[in-house]
Amino acid sequence: MLLTVKEMSKLADVSIKTLHHYHKIGLLLPAQVTEAGYRLYGQKELERLQGILFFRELDFPLKMIHKILDSNLDRISILKQQKKLFLKRIQKLHQLINTIDESIHSTVKGEHMDQSNLFRGFSSEAEWEEALQEQNEHLTQAYQYDLLKENSIQIEEMNEAAIEAQRFTSKMIAALQNKLTANDDQVQAIVKQHLHYLNTHGHQIKPSDYLQQTRFFIEDDFHREMLESQQPGLAYYLHVAAISYAETQQK
Amino acid sequence: MLLTVKEMSKLADVSIKTLHHYHKIGLLLPAQVTEAGYRLYGQKELERLQGILFFRELDFPLKMIHKILDSNLDRISILKQQKKLFLKRIQKLHQLINTIDESIHSTVKGEHMDQSNLFRGFSSEAEWEEALQEQNEHLTQAYQYDLLKENSIQIEEMNEAAIEAQRFTSKMIAALQNKLTANDDQVQAIVKQHLHYLNTHGHQIKPSDYLQQTRFFIEDDFHREMLESQQPGLAYYLHVAAISYAETQQK
DNA sequence: TGTTGACTCTGACCTTAGAGGAGGATTTAG
DNA sequence: CTAAATCCTCCTCTAAGGTCAGAGTCAACA
């Protein structure tokens, strides 16, 4: 099941030239090269390409991507790290939007914004450097070991219940992102399924209990942080979904 | 009140070389050049630089930035357009995070993801091209006129109340982004202030009325869309904040 | 007034991440 | 068996700057 350059380029939406380039600099080697010199790629290469593109989207230079991918970090750690970086990037963009809003505002009023405020949000490029730097350190130091541990232990420890919770959460995130209302049937079905799972696995949770729990998620710093960092607004979305669910179940 | 290259570069966090470059290609001309050839920039140039950097952040090529900024679009239309593009970009990043999540998930389970799913989210580069294209059309066609109209009329029509609402919303967005709980004192103060404004400007809204209203914002497609597109989760955040506010006011 | 240190200029060359195209080989489909 | 599609290598080109080098300029302190 090997893919030609064209097939790869279509799948991943990169140019053939890019594949050539990555081959030349050793960043992505074909799984195999035919007699005639045709490049062929397999599943592993596809996954590697995915990793490359994530980092590229984050403006990492190819050399650094190379180093990261060729270090002995496992795929999961890398994916998690990438996710973190994307979340940071999103924060930054929000900040920039804020700056735009302020600029619009003061322009409408015919004022001139304070000079440094004109550029708020960009300066976090410095933080970006930091993140990049941090990535680098992972590679050279024992710290890397900690990270690896931190990331993979969590995963191995995840029992079935945790996996269910994780899955539930990501469904809710998807729902929120896709702009389903919290009282949408689909969303309510997800909640129902979640509670059903819990109730058939050693818990006993009524809709009203769950409502309490989601409220707690908002009030408790730790839980709120965890939810909100996955998706801003999530904690509140869960709560409203729970309200809605409790209401319909009550009747 | 003119700034030297160094001062500019510090303010906007760009290199001096970049300023040289922009000068050379005519993208950003100094307000004035001294006898000795020193570049000096004023307020107008600062604002233009801001515009350039926003587009650069959005990966527009400098040439296109040049065209856009030198077209006769007013600053406001451009800022609004940029905001739209940033929102799109954020959507894209969310999509990518989704893809990362799925990748993590299937890797943990030792499965291989469906090939094309590995790259979901990237492909929206095509859409991106579209947006870029669209921008281009603005410049050449009468369509531009429509956009201009659409954008600026809204603004001129904005009466004081609308401005207050807008300001309230952006404060709440900031609060959500900065991870303040909906029942945080600061957030509650914002709500209070908002209601106070309304009540002193021809409305009569009790906390419980406002609660009803935020509920309506979630249920009504149009309003929810509007809020959620500004900041995912916002509609729910507003609602929970209103719940909290109503509770405390009741006592 | 002179000198030092911080800034600034131009200009030439370097770098990254590819894009484009020429010229030629290979594969596949009819 | 031939034409179209795909692939190869090699060469040059581009965008958006970064990196010196060599030289002029400015402010401020002694």
mmCIF file of all heavy atoms in Angstrom, chain C residues 2-3 5 7-9 20 24 30, chain D residues 1 7 10-11 22-24 26 28-29:
data_model
loop_
_atom_site.group_PDB
_atom_site.id
_atom_site.type_symbol
_atom_site.label_atom_id
_atom_site.label_comp_id
_atom_site.label_asym_id
_atom_site.label_seq_id
_atom_site.Cartn_x
_atom_site.Cartn_y
_atom_site.Cartn_z
ATOM 1 P P DG C 2 38.332 70.797 18.653
ATOM 2 O OP1 DG C 2 39.584 71.223 18.015
ATOM 3 O OP2 DG C 2 37.090 70.671 17.873
ATOM 4 O "O5'" DG C 2 38.613 69.420 19.407
ATOM 5 C "C5'" DG C 2 39.068 69.429 20.769
ATOM 6 C "C4'" DG C 2 38.809 68.056 21.344
ATOM 7 O "O4'" DG C 2 37.494 68.038 21.959
ATOM 8 C "C3'" DG C 2 38.819 66.950 20.296
ATOM 9 O "O3'" DG C 2 39.434 65.827 20.884
ATOM 10 C "C2'" DG C 2 37.336 66.719 20.011
ATOM 11 C "C1'" DG C 2 36.731 66.970 21.379
ATOM 12 N N9 DG C 2 35.343 67.403 21.387
ATOM 13 C C8 DG C 2 34.703 68.222 20.479
ATOM 14 N N7 DG C 2 33.457 68.447 20.780
ATOM 15 C C5 DG C 2 33.256 67.721 21.957
ATOM 16 C C6 DG C 2 32.082 67.582 22.761
ATOM 17 O O6 DG C 2 30.978 68.080 22.591
ATOM 18 N N1 DG C 2 32.321 66.755 23.862
ATOM 19 C C2 DG C 2 33.512 66.156 24.148
ATOM 20 N N2 DG C 2 33.546 65.404 25.246
ATOM 21 N N3 DG C 2 34.611 66.280 23.409
ATOM 22 C C4 DG C 2 34.407 67.077 22.331
ATOM 23 P P DT C 3 40.068 64.651 20.028
ATOM 24 O OP1 DT C 3 41.516 64.592 20.307
ATOM 25 O OP2 DT C 3 39.599 64.774 18.637
ATOM 26 O "O5'" DT C 3 39.409 63.392 20.725
ATOM 27 C "C5'" DT C 3 39.273 63.393 22.159
ATOM 28 C "C4'" DT C 3 38.096 62.539 22.546
ATOM 29 O "O4'" DT C 3 36.840 63.253 22.434
ATOM 30 C "C3'" DT C 3 37.938 61.261 21.717
ATOM 31 O "O3'" DT C 3 37.600 60.214 22.595
ATOM 32 C "C2'" DT C 3 36.770 61.592 20.802
ATOM 33 C "C1'" DT C 3 35.923 62.412 21.775
ATOM 34 N N1 DT C 3 34.842 63.250 21.187
ATOM 35 C C2 DT C 3 33.656 63.371 21.884
ATOM 36 O O2 DT C 3 33.443 62.827 22.946
ATOM 37 N N3 DT C 3 32.714 64.157 21.277
ATOM 38 C C4 DT C 3 32.840 64.835 20.060
ATOM 39 O O4 DT C 3 31.932 65.515 19.619
ATOM 40 C C5 DT C 3 34.100 64.654 19.385
ATOM 41 C C7 DT C 3 34.336 65.307 18.063
ATOM 42 C C6 DT C 3 35.037 63.876 19.967
ATOM 43 P P DG C 5 33.805 54.410 24.581
ATOM 44 O OP1 DG C 5 34.277 53.912 25.893
ATOM 45 O OP2 DG C 5 34.434 53.951 23.321
ATOM 46 O "O5'" DG C 5 32.231 54.199 24.488
ATOM 47 C "C5'" DG C 5 31.373 55.048 25.265
ATOM 48 C "C4'" DG C 5 29.975 55.026 24.656
ATOM 49 O "O4'" DG C 5 29.899 55.971 23.554
ATOM 50 C "C3'" DG C 5 29.578 53.664 24.086
ATOM 51 O "O3'" DG C 5 28.208 53.456 24.416
ATOM 52 C "C2'" DG C 5 29.801 53.823 22.582
ATOM 53 C "C1'" DG C 5 29.433 55.295 22.394
ATOM 54 N N9 DG C 5 30.053 55.960 21.245
ATOM 55 C C8 DG C 5 31.261 55.682 20.637
ATOM 56 N N7 DG C 5 31.531 56.479 19.633
ATOM 57 C C5 DG C 5 30.428 57.334 19.568
ATOM 58 C C6 DG C 5 30.150 58.402 18.686
ATOM 59 O O6 DG C 5 30.831 58.841 17.767
ATOM 60 N N1 DG C 5 28.924 58.996 18.983
ATOM 61 C C2 DG C 5 28.074 58.608 19.993
ATOM 62 N N2 DG C 5 26.949 59.287 20.126
ATOM 63 N N3 DG C 5 28.318 57.613 20.829
ATOM 64 C C4 DG C 5 29.521 57.018 20.557
ATOM 65 P P DC C 7 21.439 52.732 21.245
ATOM 66 O OP1 DC C 7 20.294 53.044 22.096
ATOM 67 O OP2 DC C 7 21.956 51.341 21.140
ATOM 68 O "O5'" DC C 7 21.083 53.223 19.784
ATOM 69 C "C5'" DC C 7 22.101 53.817 19.011
ATOM 70 C "C4'" DC C 7 21.502 54.755 17.980
ATOM 71 O "O4'" DC C 7 22.598 55.418 17.349
ATOM 72 C "C3'" DC C 7 20.764 53.986 16.879
ATOM 73 O "O3'" DC C 7 19.682 54.764 16.366
ATOM 74 C "C2'" DC C 7 21.842 53.765 15.837
ATOM 75 C "C1'" DC C 7 22.775 54.961 16.027
ATOM 76 N N1 DC C 7 24.195 54.589 15.834
ATOM 77 C C2 DC C 7 24.944 55.317 14.902
ATOM 78 O O2 DC C 7 24.395 56.256 14.309
ATOM 79 N N3 DC C 7 26.224 54.962 14.681
ATOM 80 C C4 DC C 7 26.778 53.944 15.354
ATOM 81 N N4 DC C 7 28.049 53.646 15.095
ATOM 82 C C5 DC C 7 26.033 53.192 16.316
ATOM 83 C C6 DC C 7 24.749 53.550 16.527
ATOM 84 P P DT C 8 18.734 54.102 15.247
ATOM 85 O OP1 DT C 8 17.471 54.876 15.246
ATOM 86 O OP2 DT C 8 18.721 52.649 15.426
ATOM 87 O "O5'" DT C 8 19.491 54.430 13.890
ATOM 88 C "C5'" DT C 8 19.570 55.779 13.430
ATOM 89 C "C4'" DT C 8 20.394 55.847 12.161
ATOM 90 O "O4'" DT C 8 21.769 55.513 12.478
ATOM 91 C "C3'" DT C 8 19.999 54.822 11.103
ATOM 92 O "O3'" DT C 8 19.101 55.394 10.180
ATOM 93 C "C2'" DT C 8 21.315 54.495 10.400
ATOM 94 C "C1'" DT C 8 22.371 55.088 11.286
ATOM 95 N N1 DT C 8 23.450 54.126 11.649
ATOM 96 C C2 DT C 8 24.630 54.168 10.946
ATOM 97 O O2 DT C 8 24.844 54.952 10.041
ATOM 98 N N3 DT C 8 25.559 53.238 11.337
ATOM 99 C C4 DT C 8 25.416 52.300 12.337
ATOM 100 O O4 DT C 8 26.329 51.519 12.602
ATOM 101 C C5 DT C 8 24.155 52.319 13.024
ATOM 102 C C7 DT C 8 23.890 51.343 14.120
ATOM 103 C C6 DT C 8 23.245 53.219 12.649
ATOM 104 P P DC C 9 18.607 54.481 8.934
ATOM 105 O OP1 DC C 9 17.457 55.155 8.310
ATOM 106 O OP2 DC C 9 18.468 53.097 9.408
ATOM 107 O "O5'" DC C 9 19.848 54.565 7.932
ATOM 108 C "C5'" DC C 9 20.156 55.820 7.344
ATOM 109 C "C4'" DC C 9 21.350 55.688 6.414
ATOM 110 O "O4'" DC C 9 22.494 55.264 7.184
ATOM 111 C "C3'" DC C 9 21.174 54.605 5.360
ATOM 112 O "O3'" DC C 9 20.616 55.128 4.181
ATOM 113 C "C2'" DC C 9 22.602 54.122 5.124
ATOM 114 C "C1'" DC C 9 23.342 54.476 6.376
ATOM 115 N N1 DC C 9 23.770 53.314 7.208
ATOM 116 C C2 DC C 9 25.019 52.753 6.984
ATOM 117 O O2 DC C 9 25.739 53.226 6.090
ATOM 118 N N3 DC C 9 25.423 51.706 7.748
ATOM 119 C C4 DC C 9 24.622 51.230 8.699
ATOM 120 N N4 DC C 9 25.061 50.211 9.432
ATOM 121 C C5 DC C 9 23.335 51.782 8.949
ATOM 122 C C6 DC C 9 22.952 52.811 8.189
ATOM 123 P P DG C 20 4.559 28.103 -9.362
ATOM 124 O OP1 DG C 20 3.393 29.008 -9.307
ATOM 125 O OP2 DG C 20 4.386 26.628 -9.399
ATOM 126 O "O5'" DG C 20 5.433 28.531 -10.621
ATOM 127 C "C5'" DG C 20 6.819 28.737 -10.479
ATOM 128 C "C4'" DG C 20 7.463 28.793 -11.857
ATOM 129 O "O4'" DG C 20 8.802 28.276 -11.720
ATOM 130 C "C3'" DG C 20 6.772 27.909 -12.900
ATOM 131 O "O3'" DG C 20 6.885 28.549 -14.180
ATOM 132 C "C2'" DG C 20 7.555 26.609 -12.846
ATOM 133 C "C1'" DG C 20 8.951 27.066 -12.441
ATOM 134 N N9 DG C 20 9.649 26.121 -11.584
ATOM 135 C C8 DG C 20 9.095 25.350 -10.586
ATOM 136 N N7 DG C 20 9.960 24.575 -9.990
ATOM 137 C C5 DG C 20 11.165 24.865 -10.632
ATOM 138 C C6 DG C 20 12.455 24.339 -10.411
ATOM 139 O O6 DG C 20 12.818 23.492 -9.591
ATOM 140 N N1 DG C 20 13.396 24.899 -11.275
ATOM 141 C C2 DG C 20 13.113 25.858 -12.226
ATOM 142 N N2 DG C 20 14.134 26.271 -12.967
ATOM 143 N N3 DG C 20 11.899 26.354 -12.437
ATOM 144 C C4 DG C 20 10.984 25.814 -11.609
ATOM 145 P P DG C 24 16.674 16.209 -24.233
ATOM 146 O OP1 DG C 24 17.995 15.972 -24.857
ATOM 147 O OP2 DG C 24 15.485 16.490 -25.058
ATOM 148 O "O5'" DG C 24 16.371 14.959 -23.295
ATOM 149 C "C5'" DG C 24 17.206 14.708 -22.162
ATOM 150 C "C4'" DG C 24 16.547 13.653 -21.315
ATOM 151 O "O4'" DG C 24 15.381 14.199 -20.663
ATOM 152 C "C3'" DG C 24 16.064 12.426 -22.099
ATOM 153 O "O3'" DG C 24 16.496 11.249 -21.419
ATOM 154 C "C2'" DG C 24 14.554 12.550 -22.074
ATOM 155 C "C1'" DG C 24 14.355 13.245 -20.725
ATOM 156 N N9 DG C 24 13.069 13.902 -20.559
ATOM 157 C C8 DG C 24 12.447 14.790 -21.414
ATOM 158 N N7 DG C 24 11.279 15.189 -20.970
ATOM 159 C C5 DG C 24 11.127 14.529 -19.756
ATOM 160 C C6 DG C 24 10.060 14.556 -18.820
ATOM 161 O O6 DG C 24 9.009 15.199 -18.878
ATOM 162 N N1 DG C 24 10.316 13.741 -17.733
ATOM 163 C C2 DG C 24 11.451 12.984 -17.569
ATOM 164 N N2 DG C 24 11.519 12.251 -16.453
ATOM 165 N N3 DG C 24 12.449 12.940 -18.427
ATOM 166 C C4 DG C 24 12.215 13.739 -19.500
ATOM 167 P P DG C 30 -8.483 2.676 -20.563
ATOM 168 O OP1 DG C 30 -9.733 3.423 -20.257
ATOM 169 O OP2 DG C 30 -8.330 1.259 -20.142
ATOM 170 O "O5'" DG C 30 -8.234 2.782 -22.127
ATOM 171 C "C5'" DG C 30 -8.069 4.063 -22.732
ATOM 172 C "C4'" DG C 30 -7.655 3.875 -24.184
ATOM 173 O "O4'" DG C 30 -6.357 3.238 -24.240
ATOM 174 C "C3'" DG C 30 -8.605 2.988 -24.992
ATOM 175 O "O3'" DG C 30 -8.733 3.522 -26.314
ATOM 176 C "C2'" DG C 30 -7.900 1.643 -25.046
ATOM 177 C "C1'" DG C 30 -6.437 2.071 -25.049
ATOM 178 N N9 DG C 30 -5.502 1.093 -24.511
ATOM 179 C C8 DG C 30 -5.669 0.288 -23.405
ATOM 180 N N7 DG C 30 -4.637 -0.489 -23.170
ATOM 181 C C5 DG C 30 -3.733 -0.176 -24.180
ATOM 182 C C6 DG C 30 -2.441 -0.696 -24.434
ATOM 183 O O6 DG C 30 -1.818 -1.547 -23.823
ATOM 184 N N1 DG C 30 -1.872 -0.098 -25.558
ATOM 185 C C2 DG C 30 -2.479 0.875 -26.319
ATOM 186 N N2 DG C 30 -1.787 1.328 -27.347
ATOM 187 N N3 DG C 30 -3.685 1.362 -26.090
ATOM 188 C C4 DG C 30 -4.255 0.791 -25.002
ATOM 189 P P DC D 1 5.525 -3.585 -30.820
ATOM 190 O OP1 DC D 1 6.342 -3.875 -31.988
ATOM 191 O OP2 DC D 1 6.100 -3.502 -29.479
ATOM 192 O "O5'" DC D 1 4.686 -2.251 -31.054
ATOM 193 C "C5'" DC D 1 3.793 -2.109 -32.123
ATOM 194 C "C4'" DC D 1 3.137 -0.768 -31.939
ATOM 195 O "O4'" DC D 1 2.198 -0.841 -30.844
ATOM 196 C "C3'" DC D 1 4.106 0.353 -31.580
ATOM 197 O "O3'" DC D 1 3.578 1.553 -32.142
ATOM 198 C "C2'" DC D 1 4.053 0.389 -30.062
ATOM 199 C "C1'" DC D 1 2.572 0.104 -29.830
ATOM 200 N N1 DC D 1 2.218 -0.507 -28.531
ATOM 201 C C2 DC D 1 0.987 -0.188 -27.942
ATOM 202 O O2 DC D 1 0.234 0.595 -28.523
ATOM 203 N N3 DC D 1 0.646 -0.741 -26.750
ATOM 204 C C4 DC D 1 1.483 -1.588 -26.160
ATOM 205 N N4 DC D 1 1.101 -2.129 -24.994
ATOM 206 C C5 DC D 1 2.741 -1.938 -26.731
ATOM 207 C C6 DC D 1 3.070 -1.374 -27.904
ATOM 208 P P DC D 7 3.286 11.173 -10.074
ATOM 209 O OP1 DC D 7 3.055 10.256 -8.950
ATOM 210 O OP2 DC D 7 2.929 12.600 -9.989
ATOM 211 O "O5'" DC D 7 4.816 11.066 -10.492
ATOM 212 C "C5'" DC D 7 5.425 9.780 -10.557
ATOM 213 C "C4'" DC D 7 6.814 9.889 -11.148
ATOM 214 O "O4'" DC D 7 6.712 10.394 -12.494
ATOM 215 C "C3'" DC D 7 7.718 10.920 -10.454
ATOM 216 O "O3'" DC D 7 8.479 10.309 -9.429
ATOM 217 C "C2'" DC D 7 8.655 11.361 -11.583
ATOM 218 C "C1'" DC D 7 7.971 10.906 -12.854
ATOM 219 N N1 DC D 7 7.773 12.012 -13.823
ATOM 220 C C2 DC D 7 8.696 12.181 -14.842
ATOM 221 O O2 DC D 7 9.665 11.411 -14.912
ATOM 222 N N3 DC D 7 8.541 13.201 -15.723
ATOM 223 C C4 DC D 7 7.489 14.011 -15.610
ATOM 224 N N4 DC D 7 7.355 14.994 -16.501
ATOM 225 C C5 DC D 7 6.518 13.842 -14.578
ATOM 226 C C6 DC D 7 6.700 12.845 -13.714
ATOM 227 P P DC D 10 21.046 15.471 -10.509
ATOM 228 O OP1 DC D 10 22.333 14.794 -10.802
ATOM 229 O OP2 DC D 10 20.635 15.728 -9.109
ATOM 230 O "O5'" DC D 10 21.020 16.844 -11.311
ATOM 231 C "C5'" DC D 10 20.802 16.803 -12.731
ATOM 232 C "C4'" DC D 10 20.706 18.220 -13.276
ATOM 233 O "O4'" DC D 10 19.310 18.607 -13.391
ATOM 234 C "C3'" DC D 10 21.376 19.293 -12.405
ATOM 235 O "O3'" DC D 10 22.059 20.210 -13.243
ATOM 236 C "C2'" DC D 10 20.214 19.940 -11.685
ATOM 237 C "C1'" DC D 10 19.115 19.851 -12.749
ATOM 238 N N1 DC D 10 17.740 19.865 -12.208
ATOM 239 C C2 DC D 10 16.706 20.437 -12.970
ATOM 240 O O2 DC D 10 16.978 20.902 -14.082
ATOM 241 N N3 DC D 10 15.461 20.463 -12.469
ATOM 242 C C4 DC D 10 15.207 19.941 -11.254
ATOM 243 N N4 DC D 10 13.959 19.989 -10.808
ATOM 244 C C5 DC D 10 16.240 19.357 -10.472
ATOM 245 C C6 DC D 10 17.483 19.336 -10.983
ATOM 246 P P DC D 11 23.103 21.236 -12.586
ATOM 247 O OP1 DC D 11 24.367 21.107 -13.337
ATOM 248 O OP2 DC D 11 23.097 21.102 -11.103
ATOM 249 O "O5'" DC D 11 22.444 22.630 -12.960
ATOM 250 C "C5'" DC D 11 21.892 22.791 -14.282
ATOM 251 C "C4'" DC D 11 20.981 23.998 -14.286
ATOM 252 O "O4'" DC D 11 19.665 23.598 -13.826
ATOM 253 C "C3'" DC D 11 21.438 25.130 -13.356
ATOM 254 O "O3'" DC D 11 21.794 26.266 -14.132
ATOM 255 C "C2'" DC D 11 20.261 25.396 -12.448
ATOM 256 C "C1'" DC D 11 19.104 24.667 -13.116
ATOM 257 N N1 DC D 11 18.150 24.103 -12.132
ATOM 258 C C2 DC D 11 16.790 24.426 -12.239
ATOM 259 O O2 DC D 11 16.415 25.158 -13.164
ATOM 260 N N3 DC D 11 15.924 23.936 -11.318
ATOM 261 C C4 DC D 11 16.373 23.150 -10.336
ATOM 262 N N4 DC D 11 15.480 22.684 -9.455
ATOM 263 C C5 DC D 11 17.748 22.810 -10.202
ATOM 264 C C6 DC D 11 18.600 23.304 -11.109
ATOM 265 P P DG D 22 35.749 45.923 6.245
ATOM 266 O OP1 DG D 22 36.854 45.560 5.322
ATOM 267 O OP2 DG D 22 35.928 45.865 7.708
ATOM 268 O "O5'" DG D 22 35.221 47.365 5.846
ATOM 269 C "C5'" DG D 22 34.648 47.577 4.562
ATOM 270 C "C4'" DG D 22 34.141 49.007 4.501
ATOM 271 O "O4'" DG D 22 32.828 49.071 5.120
ATOM 272 C "C3'" DG D 22 35.026 50.005 5.276
ATOM 273 O "O3'" DG D 22 35.146 51.183 4.502
ATOM 274 C "C2'" DG D 22 34.270 50.203 6.572
ATOM 275 C "C1'" DG D 22 32.821 50.101 6.088
ATOM 276 N N9 DG D 22 31.827 49.754 7.100
ATOM 277 C C8 DG D 22 31.979 49.001 8.239
ATOM 278 N N7 DG D 22 30.877 48.887 8.939
ATOM 279 C C5 DG D 22 29.941 49.611 8.219
ATOM 280 C C6 DG D 22 28.571 49.852 8.472
ATOM 281 O O6 DG D 22 27.887 49.460 9.416
ATOM 282 N N1 DG D 22 27.990 50.638 7.475
ATOM 283 C C2 DG D 22 28.648 51.130 6.387
ATOM 284 N N2 DG D 22 27.929 51.864 5.560
ATOM 285 N N3 DG D 22 29.938 50.903 6.135
ATOM 286 C C4 DG D 22 30.510 50.145 7.091
ATOM 287 P P DA D 23 35.912 52.471 5.091
ATOM 288 O OP1 DA D 23 36.687 52.992 3.944
ATOM 289 O OP2 DA D 23 36.556 52.173 6.394
ATOM 290 O "O5'" DA D 23 34.701 53.469 5.352
ATOM 291 C "C5'" DA D 23 33.750 53.700 4.303
ATOM 292 C "C4'" DA D 23 32.673 54.611 4.837
ATOM 293 O "O4'" DA D 23 31.798 53.862 5.724
ATOM 294 C "C3'" DA D 23 33.212 55.788 5.668
ATOM 295 O "O3'" DA D 23 32.533 56.979 5.304
ATOM 296 C "C2'" DA D 23 32.892 55.389 7.086
ATOM 297 C "C1'" DA D 23 31.580 54.629 6.879
ATOM 298 N N9 DA D 23 31.203 53.761 7.983
ATOM 299 C C8 DA D 23 31.992 52.898 8.690
ATOM 300 N N7 DA D 23 31.364 52.267 9.664
ATOM 301 C C5 DA D 23 30.074 52.750 9.585
ATOM 302 C C6 DA D 23 28.925 52.486 10.339
ATOM 303 N N6 DA D 23 28.884 51.627 11.351
ATOM 304 N N1 DA D 23 27.794 53.133 10.002
ATOM 305 C C2 DA D 23 27.826 54.000 8.979
ATOM 306 N N3 DA D 23 28.858 54.335 8.196
ATOM 307 C C4 DA D 23 29.960 53.670 8.554
ATOM 308 P P DG D 24 33.070 58.366 5.808
ATOM 309 O OP1 DG D 24 33.589 59.059 4.610
ATOM 310 O OP2 DG D 24 33.914 58.197 7.016
ATOM 311 O "O5'" DG D 24 31.703 59.076 6.228
ATOM 312 C "C5'" DG D 24 30.584 58.994 5.348
ATOM 313 C "C4'" DG D 24 29.315 59.211 6.139
ATOM 314 O "O4'" DG D 24 29.157 58.133 7.080
ATOM 315 C "C3'" DG D 24 29.309 60.503 6.969
ATOM 316 O "O3'" DG D 24 28.025 61.097 6.851
ATOM 317 C "C2'" DG D 24 29.570 60.020 8.383
ATOM 318 C "C1'" DG D 24 28.885 58.656 8.363
ATOM 319 N N9 DG D 24 29.348 57.706 9.360
ATOM 320 C C8 DG D 24 30.595 57.123 9.449
ATOM 321 N N7 DG D 24 30.701 56.288 10.469
ATOM 322 C C5 DG D 24 29.442 56.335 11.076
ATOM 323 C C6 DG D 24 28.960 55.647 12.220
ATOM 324 O O6 DG D 24 29.544 54.847 12.940
ATOM 325 N N1 DG D 24 27.645 55.992 12.491
ATOM 326 C C2 DG D 24 26.891 56.871 11.754
ATOM 327 N N2 DG D 24 25.646 57.084 12.169
ATOM 328 N N3 DG D 24 27.329 57.517 10.681
ATOM 329 C C4 DG D 24 28.609 57.200 10.394
ATOM 330 P P DC D 26 23.290 64.191 11.924
ATOM 331 O OP1 DC D 26 22.018 64.367 11.209
ATOM 332 O OP2 DC D 26 24.369 65.204 11.813
ATOM 333 O "O5'" DC D 26 22.957 63.974 13.463
ATOM 334 C "C5'" DC D 26 22.279 62.788 13.878
ATOM 335 C "C4'" DC D 26 22.492 62.556 15.364
ATOM 336 O "O4'" DC D 26 23.756 61.883 15.577
ATOM 337 C "C3'" DC D 26 22.520 63.810 16.229
ATOM 338 O "O3'" DC D 26 21.527 63.673 17.224
ATOM 339 C "C2'" DC D 26 23.944 63.865 16.790
ATOM 340 C "C1'" DC D 26 24.349 62.388 16.736
ATOM 341 N N1 DC D 26 25.801 62.130 16.596
ATOM 342 C C2 DC D 26 26.420 61.198 17.437
ATOM 343 O O2 DC D 26 25.753 60.639 18.315
ATOM 344 N N3 DC D 26 27.751 60.942 17.289
ATOM 345 C C4 DC D 26 28.437 61.558 16.339
ATOM 346 N N4 DC D 26 29.746 61.271 16.202
ATOM 347 C C5 DC D 26 27.831 62.505 15.447
ATOM 348 C C6 DC D 26 26.525 62.756 15.619
ATOM 349 P P DA D 28 21.624 64.237 24.871
ATOM 350 O OP1 DA D 28 20.186 64.098 25.149
ATOM 351 O OP2 DA D 28 22.246 65.582 24.739
ATOM 352 O "O5'" DA D 28 22.448 63.444 25.998
ATOM 353 C "C5'" DA D 28 23.381 62.440 25.603
ATOM 354 C "C4'" DA D 28 24.707 62.635 26.320
ATOM 355 O "O4'" DA D 28 25.751 62.943 25.338
ATOM 356 C "C3'" DA D 28 24.736 63.809 27.302
ATOM 357 O "O3'" DA D 28 25.647 63.485 28.341
ATOM 358 C "C2'" DA D 28 25.318 64.941 26.459
ATOM 359 C "C1'" DA D 28 26.380 64.145 25.731
ATOM 360 N N9 DA D 28 26.940 64.766 24.537
ATOM 361 C C8 DA D 28 26.386 65.736 23.731
ATOM 362 N N7 DA D 28 27.145 66.098 22.723
ATOM 363 C C5 DA D 28 28.277 65.322 22.883
ATOM 364 C C6 DA D 28 29.474 65.231 22.134
ATOM 365 N N6 DA D 28 29.700 65.968 21.048
ATOM 366 N N1 DA D 28 30.419 64.354 22.561
ATOM 367 C C2 DA D 28 30.178 63.638 23.663
ATOM 368 N N3 DA D 28 29.088 63.629 24.432
ATOM 369 C C4 DA D 28 28.178 64.498 23.984
ATOM 370 P P DC D 29 25.327 63.677 29.863
ATOM 371 O OP1 DC D 29 24.119 62.904 30.206
ATOM 372 O OP2 DC D 29 25.369 65.142 30.081
ATOM 373 O "O5'" DC D 29 26.575 63.008 30.596
ATOM 374 C "C5'" DC D 29 27.355 62.033 29.906
ATOM 375 C "C4'" DC D 29 28.819 62.455 29.838
ATOM 376 O "O4'" DC D 29 29.055 63.207 28.614
ATOM 377 C "C3'" DC D 29 29.288 63.370 30.994
ATOM 378 O "O3'" DC D 29 30.570 62.921 31.420
ATOM 379 C "C2'" DC D 29 29.391 64.744 30.334
ATOM 380 C "C1'" DC D 29 29.849 64.337 28.940
ATOM 381 N N1 DC D 29 29.655 65.349 27.863
ATOM 382 C C2 DC D 29 30.616 65.440 26.843
ATOM 383 O O2 DC D 29 31.595 64.681 26.858
ATOM 384 N N3 DC D 29 30.452 66.366 25.862
ATOM 385 C C4 DC D 29 29.387 67.169 25.872
ATOM 386 N N4 DC D 29 29.265 68.051 24.884
ATOM 387 C C5 DC D 29 28.400 67.089 26.898
ATOM 388 C C6 DC D 29 28.575 66.178 27.866
#
